[in-house]
Amino acid sequence: MKKLKFIFSILFVALLAGCSDEDTDAAFGDNADAPANLSALFTITQDNSGLVTIAPHGEGVVSYEVFFGDGTAEPAALGLAEKVNHVYAEGQYNVRLVATGINGKTTEAILPLTVTFVQPENLVVNIAAVVGNSLSINVSATADYETYFEVTFGEDSSLPPVQFNEGQTINYVYDAIGTYTVTVTAFSGGAATTVYTQDVVISNPLVLPINFENPTLNYTFTTFNGATAAAIDNPHAVGINTSAKVGSMTPAGAVWTGGLLTLDQPVNFANGRHFKMKVWSPAAGVPVLLKLENLTDTNVNAERTVMTTVANQWEEMVFDFTGANGQYSKLVFFFNAANPGNGTYYFDDIEQFNGQDPVGFPLTFQSETAEYIWNNFGGALGNRVDNPNAAGINTSTKVASFLKTNNSQTWAGVAIPMSAPIDFSVMKKVKMKVWSPAAGIPVLMKFENMNPHNTAVDIEKQTVTTVANQWEELTFDFTGINNANNYQMLVVFFNFGVPGTGEIYYFDDVQLSN
């Protein structure tokens, strides 16, 4: 009995002791100091993203509130040893840290934060000329740590910079030739920038081919012995030359009267030793002399003379400069060469070629150098001839003839190979001017591939003439044609399905259309 009493006494003392400890702890919490020694570790990501990691520290702290100081309304609530990520723009900020202790007491601290973006690195700028427009350039750029680029082109200081991003290409067209400083600035998203400058030379050289259409080129003629010459509006925009601008020359009364154009670069014979030039002459049988001359030494020259064959219409003349080996920068023109000058002549589309024009669409039969191949079958005979009915919608000088000989096959036709497959990727219809001795004649057009010929992919369409003894334009609708079949052979049938009686048909200007 004494033993039990002793144990009970121990338990009671323990309980009394326990109550005494709790009271002591509560008193300690109530009397604890507010959080102290507040600080924060700012870790700034060095990639110009503005990402900052904030890790607060302090003594006697159970939780934090982080006010970012950049206008963000809601603070971040953190527990002990927690961190928070926040994205800043470049600048200086006062981060306010509110720490709460075990007893709810708080302490605040203002911590300065500076976010500075690094300068863009490895800036690479590409400035490239635009093929086909010597006054134009394309600009693109790449860099590390950049957010965007600006470019100025050095021509007009009143123009604002053009902003662009990596992966974009900016095009600019200069108003005049000259040397300009192109400046590209890479921005980091803040104050740090990287600048690149490059001088570009914008030139617009007068070189072959010449078509008198470019308003930025200098088509000024140097004339002699009283001739006058200039680039003017085309006064005869018909036939093979409907362009807007042409060259004009009026010789004076002297025997050798003419003019010249000075090229900005010497003639490059790698582009061909034959020259083509469209000419309008007031008479047939007029000698036209084209002379190539050295820039400084007139004794270094080569010249060729070709006679006009028609009057008061455009024709294409070919000058063969095979054997000419000098360095030539002048094109000298003589109309009615070696004779007293008379009348006005027009000329256009001066270009080099390798001596043979390709055969393709549009198929006009006007070239004097193209090799037109006539694969005749079934008793039909095709040929290139003078236009026997140069009136109405077709006044061109040359056309194709189709003779369907007497008792020829019902399927008699003519096949003309092209130099390359016809491109049906965009336009699927074909127009052809036709002259027929009668209306209601069925005309069939067919396309085949070549080398080897796969008959399974042949495609054909048929229509009928509507007038007799005059030119009309027929349309053949090949909608659905598979361009991948590489159609390269044009096949034409007149009065298809009927035996020939010796009648003649003509066709011309075969071309794609929508």
Side-chain angles (χ1 to χ4, degrees), residues 299-365:
N299 294 316
V300 179
N301 64 76
E303 59 185 50
R304 302 290 187 267
T305 301
V306 179
M307 308 294 288
T308 64
T309 63
V310 294
N312 300 316
Q313 60 182 291
W314 288 99
E315 66 176 316
E316 189 170 69
M317 310 182 78
V318 176
F319 302 82
D320 184 356
F321 281 93
T322 300
N325 293 307
Q327 188 174 64
Y328 309 113
S329 295
K330 295 179 180 179
L331 302 179
V332 191
F333 306 92
F334 298 89
F335 291 92
N336 207 19
N339 299 295
N342 64 327
T344 298
Y345 300 82
Y346 305 101
F347 51 104
D348 198 9
D349 296 336
I350 309 160
E351 59 183 287
Q352 296 171 261
F353 69 110
N354 61 8
Q356 188 176 80
D357 282 336
V359 176
F361 280 18
L363 187 59
T364 64
F365 304 105

Side-chain angles (χ1 to χ4, degrees), residues 460-499:
E460 59 188 44
K461 300 293 178 181
Q462 181 173 295
T463 187
V464 296
T465 64
T466 63
V467 294
N469 301 316
Q470 60 180 296
W471 286 100
E472 67 174 318
E473 190 170 63
L474 302 180
T475 300
F476 302 81
D477 189 350
F478 286 91
T479 299
I481 191 170
N482 185 354
N483 193 49
N485 288 335
N486 294 320
Y487 293 106
Q488 196 170 342
M489 182 78 75
L490 167 68
V491 190
V492 178
F493 305 83
F494 282 91
N495 211 11
F496 184 74
V498 180

Side-chain angles (χ1 to χ4, degrees), residues 186-391:
F187 288 84
S188 65
T193 61
T194 300
V195 178
Y196 173 89
T197 61
Q198 178 179 326
D199 288 341
V200 295
V201 178
I202 300 299
S203 63
N204 202 18
L206 180 63
V207 296
L208 291 166
I210 296 174
N211 60 16
F212 301 106
E213 299 295 328
N214 192 329
T216 66
L217 286 175
N218 180 14
Y219 298 116
T220 301
F221 286 87
T222 300
T223 57
F224 46 86
N225 292 339
T228 59
I232 65 168
D233 293 337
N234 187 351
H236 304 286
V238 295
I240 65 170
N241 190 14
T242 58
S243 63
K245 298 287 185 178
V246 298
S248 169
M249 183 173 292
T250 303
V255 172
W256 293 102
T257 174
L260 63 89
L261 286 172
T262 302
L263 303 176
D264 292 311
Q265 297 174 7
V267 172
N268 182 3
F269 284 114
N271 296 325
R273 293 187 172 274
H274 292 72
F275 285 63
K276 290 189 293 187
M277 181 169 69
K278 292 176 182 174
V279 172
W280 188 99
S281 168
V286 174
V288 178
L289 187 151
L290 177 61
K291 183 179 183 180
L292 308 181
E293 192 174 285
N294 184 266
L295 181 63
T296 57
D297 187 353
T298 58
N299 294 316
V300 179
N301 64 76
E303 59 185 50
R304 302 290 187 267
T305 301
V306 179
M307 308 294 288
T308 64
T309 63
V310 294
N312 300 316
Q313 60 182 291
W314 288 99
E315 66 176 316
E316 189 170 69
M317 310 182 78
V318 176
F319 302 82
D320 184 356
F321 281 93
T322 300
N325 293 307
Q327 188 174 64
Y328 309 113
S329 295
K330 295 179 180 179
L331 302 179
V332 191
F333 306 92
F334 298 89
F335 291 92
N336 207 19
N339 299 295
N342 64 327
T344 298
Y345 300 82
Y346 305 101
F347 51 104
D348 198 9
D349 296 336
I350 309 160
E351 59 183 287
Q352 296 171 261
F353 69 110
N354 61 8
Q356 188 176 80
D357 282 336
V359 176
F361 280 18
L363 187 59
T364 64
F365 304 105
Q366 297 302 307
S367 173
E368 297 297 331
T369 64
E371 184 180 0
Y372 300 103
I373 299 175
W374 308 92
N375 293 321
N376 305 311
F377 56 89
L381 295 176
N383 204 356
R384 176 177 176 263
V385 299
D386 292 336
N387 187 350
N389 301 97

